[in-house]
Amino acid sequence: MYVRGIEVLSRIFNVDNAVFRFFNTVGYIWWLHVLWLLCSLPVFTLGASTTALCYSCMKLHRKEGYATRNFFHSFRENFGQSTILFLFFLFTGGILLFDLILCGQLDLVAGSFIRYGAIALLIPYSMTLLYAFAVQARFVNPPGKTLRYAFFVAGRYFKYTFQMMLVVAAVLYLNTTIVLVNFLTLSIGVGVVMYILALYYDKIFTELIEGSQEPSAERRS
């Protein structure tokens, strides 16, 4: 009886136990979320911190390296280009938002024309945004090429793109309808969402690399 109890306890506290691995992974996701949140506080660093979060979550799926080291390695390495990407999306998104607001100030015909044009541009904007920082995290390219390749990947793998957009849309919707979700999002939500998206990124990039369709010959390890 004593021996059996020891065996049960050893299985429970075994690091290879499924429950232990689950909570260990949750702990890493939470910590990466905290790092992303802290490094995003200056706002202009949001691009670099998002790239670092993408990189770290892809590494976490592959069980490579250490979470903190991976995050800050990517943050430093991609700071300049990720900031350029962030400013591009901020500026472009601001213009599209201004157009949508302007629609309400114009007459019916002109307002509708601008509205439909802005909505049409929002589609490629959102698709490119979904991949841009992940491409930056995985490949070495100038910002312009990163944007072009992000849009190419989004279209080529539209099935996965659509699924990822549903995940993001669901999180945004829940945050606007359930107060508790706001707390969860602030506590760990961004890390969880990125961990889910990283599954898609890792699968897509691995397939592209194996098919020799990567955006450049140089890839980040």
Side-chain angles (χ1 to χ4, degrees), residues 174-190:
L174 291 173
N175 272 277
T176 60
T177 55
I178 304 175
V179 177
L180 177 61
V181 177
N182 289 275
F183 172 76
L184 293 174
T185 300
L186 184 62
S187 300
I188 193 175
V190 176

Side-chain angles (χ1 to χ4, degrees), residues 10 57 62 107 123 133 160 177 203:
S10 65
C57 285
R62 299 197 297 270
D107 61 78
I123 297 174
F133 296 105
Y160 295 145
T177 55
K203 177 180 175 61

Side-chain angles (χ1 to χ4, degrees), residues 34-53:
V34 171
L35 291 177
W36 174 85
L37 193 62
L38 292 175
C39 292
S40 298
L41 288 178
V43 180
F44 72 91
T45 59
L46 185 59
S49 60
T50 301
T51 300
L53 184 62

Side-chain angles (χ1 to χ4, degrees), residues 116-159:
Y116 292 137
I119 292 174
L121 290 174
L122 272 173
I123 297 174
Y125 173 87
S126 301
M127 291 170 61
T128 306
L129 176 60
L130 189 63
Y131 284 91
F133 296 105
V135 171
Q136 178 62 41
R138 191 69 178 87
F139 302 100
V140 180
N141 284 297
K145 192 171 183 179
T146 295
L147 290 171
R148 291 194 300 273
Y149 199 77
F151 180 69
F152 161 76
V153 174
R156 179 180 175 84
Y157 292 91
F158 184 74
K159 179 179 70 173

Side-chain angles (χ1 to χ4, degrees), residues 2-220:
Y2 175 78
V3 174
R4 182 176 299 177
I6 293 296
E7 291 176 351
V8 171
L9 288 174
S10 65
R11 286 197 297 269
I12 291 175
F13 293 102
N14 191 332
V15 294
D16 292 326
N17 182 282
V19 176
F20 183 89
R21 292 199 305 270
F22 171 78
F23 284 106
N24 191 48
T25 300
V26 170
Y28 281 129
I29 293 172
W30 172 80
W31 178 237
L32 289 173
H33 169 87
V34 171
L35 291 177
W36 174 85
L37 193 62
L38 292 175
C39 292
S40 298
L41 288 178
V43 180
F44 72 91
T45 59
L46 185 59
S49 60
T50 301
T51 300
L53 184 62
C54 289
Y55 179 84
S56 303
C57 285
M58 285 189 282
K59 285 285 190 179
L60 185 58
H61 278 296
R62 299 197 297 270
K63 296 179 175 58
E64 296 177 356
Y66 300 93
T68 305
R69 186 180 301 173
N70 287 337
F71 184 93
F72 285 108
H73 167 75
S74 179
F75 186 88
R76 290 190 300 269
E77 187 176 42
N78 296 291
F79 183 85
Q81 290 183 312
S82 294
T83 301
I84 294 173
L85 291 174
F86 168 69
L87 293 175
F88 168 80
F89 284 111
L90 182 65
F91 178 74
T92 307
I95 293 176
L96 293 175
L97 180 60
F98 175 77
D99 287 343
L100 290 173
I101 295 174
L102 185 64
C103 295
Q105 310 299 321
L106 300 175
D107 61 78
L108 183 61
V109 177
S112 298
F113 179 78
I114 295 176
R115 181 186 299 110
Y116 292 137
I119 292 174
L121 290 174
L122 272 173
I123 297 174
Y125 173 87
S126 301
M127 291 170 61
T128 306
L129 176 60
L130 189 63
Y131 284 91
F133 296 105
V135 171
Q136 178 62 41
R138 191 69 178 87
F139 302 100
V140 180
N141 284 297
K145 192 171 183 179
T146 295
L147 290 171
R148 291 194 300 273
Y149 199 77
F151 180 69
F152 161 76
V153 174
R156 179 180 175 84
Y157 292 91
F158 184 74
K159 179 179 70 173
Y160 295 145
T161 302
F162 183 70
Q163 292 174 11
M164 285 189 283
M165 292 182 77
L166 286 179
V167 171
V168 175
V171 172
L172 292 175
Y173 173 76
L174 291 173
N175 272 277
T176 60
T177 55
I178 304 175
V179 177
L180 177 61
V181 177
N182 289 275
F183 172 76
L184 293 174
T185 300
L186 184 62
S187 300
I188 193 175
V190 176
V192 171
V193 171
M194 186 58 73
Y195 186 75
I196 294 171
L197 297 185
L199 276 171
Y200 290 96
Y201 295 144
D202 207 34
K203 177 180 175 61
I204 291 169
F205 295 154
T206 299
E207 184 175 324
L208 287 171
I209 291 169
E210 290 177 351
S212 299
Q213 297 178 28
E214 64 269 35
S216 74
E218 188 177 357
R219 303 188 295 271
R220 302 188 197 279

